[in-house]
């Protein structure tokens, strides 16, 4: 079976974000548009009828340029998802993982380059990168 244009391709969070992904803002509703105009209603996912929410994220991949690191992930859910209470002390980011993650490749009409649209159905807390190794070292030394 061929992959159709606009198809949502399922993938694991670790495959998409091997260096981690971090929420940089709150989860907010996505407003619906018709013919380029706001409708005043929240967007619904055409595949499952659920409400669509969005969260701004930062990809932890050190090789990505600044523009490619920051983007939004849409979440289809019946109620507003809540970010985990797992912030990194002193930093305005929250390590997260997505459940039900899909990616849709497309050609960005402005830049004429390949781009990706990410969608998910769940948000979960993620381990803080390096924290497990730090805790193990502290336990061993202590």
């Amino acid at each position: 079976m061929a992959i159709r244009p606009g198809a949502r391709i399922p993938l694991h969070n670790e495959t998409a974000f091997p260096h981690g992904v971090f929420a940089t803002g709150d989860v907010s509703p996505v407003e619906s548009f018709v013919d380029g105009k706001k409708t005043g209603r929240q967007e619904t996912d055409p595949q499952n009828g659920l409400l669509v929410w969005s969260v701004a994220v930062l990809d932890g991949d050190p090789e990505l340029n600044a523009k490619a690191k920051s983007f939004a992930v849409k979440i289809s859910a019946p109620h507003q998802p809540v970010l985990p209470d797992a912030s990194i002390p002193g930093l305005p980011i929250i390590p997260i993982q997505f459940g039900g993650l899909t990616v849709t490749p497309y050609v960005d009409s402005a830049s004429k380059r390949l781009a990706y649209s990410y969608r998910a159905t769940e948000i979960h807390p993620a381990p803080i990168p390096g924290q497990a190794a730090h805790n193990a070292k502290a336990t061993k030394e202590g």
Side-chain angles (χ1 to χ4, degrees):
M1 176 171 126
I3 297 175
R4 295 187 176 112
R8 295 181 188 174
I9 303 166
L11 73 161
H12 293 285
N13 188 86
E14 296 78 18
T15 303
F17 310 112
H19 299 278
V21 65
F22 305 87
T24 61
D26 293 327
V27 177
S28 58
V30 175
E31 190 163 359
S32 175
F33 285 81
V34 174
D35 297 327
K37 295 182 182 180
K38 293 181 179 182
T39 64
R41 293 187 307 261
Q42 188 170 353
E43 183 179 319
T44 55
D45 188 322
Q47 289 191 358
N48 57 29
L50 295 174
L51 295 172
V52 178
W53 311 87
S54 179
V55 61
V57 299
L58 178 71
D59 189 328
D61 187 339
E63 294 184 17
L64 291 177
N65 65 37
K67 188 175 181 179
K69 278 184 162 301
S70 298
F71 52 93
V73 175
K74 289 184 176 181
I75 302 129
S76 300
H79 304 287
Q80 185 171 8
V82 176
L83 290 173
D85 185 20
S87 61
I88 300 172
L91 295 177
I93 59 175
I94 300 171
I96 58 174
Q97 292 180 331
F98 292 105
L101 186 64
T102 64
V103 64
T104 304
Y106 66 97
V107 176
D108 180 5
S109 59
S111 68
K112 305 292 187 225
R113 293 183 179 203
L114 184 62
Y116 302 94
S117 173
Y118 290 96
R119 286 187 176 258
T121 56
E122 303 169 342
I123 299 175
H124 302 284
I128 298 171
Q131 189 66 42
H134 173 74
N135 289 345
K137 182 178 177 184
T139 303
K140 188 176 181 180
E141 292 174 356

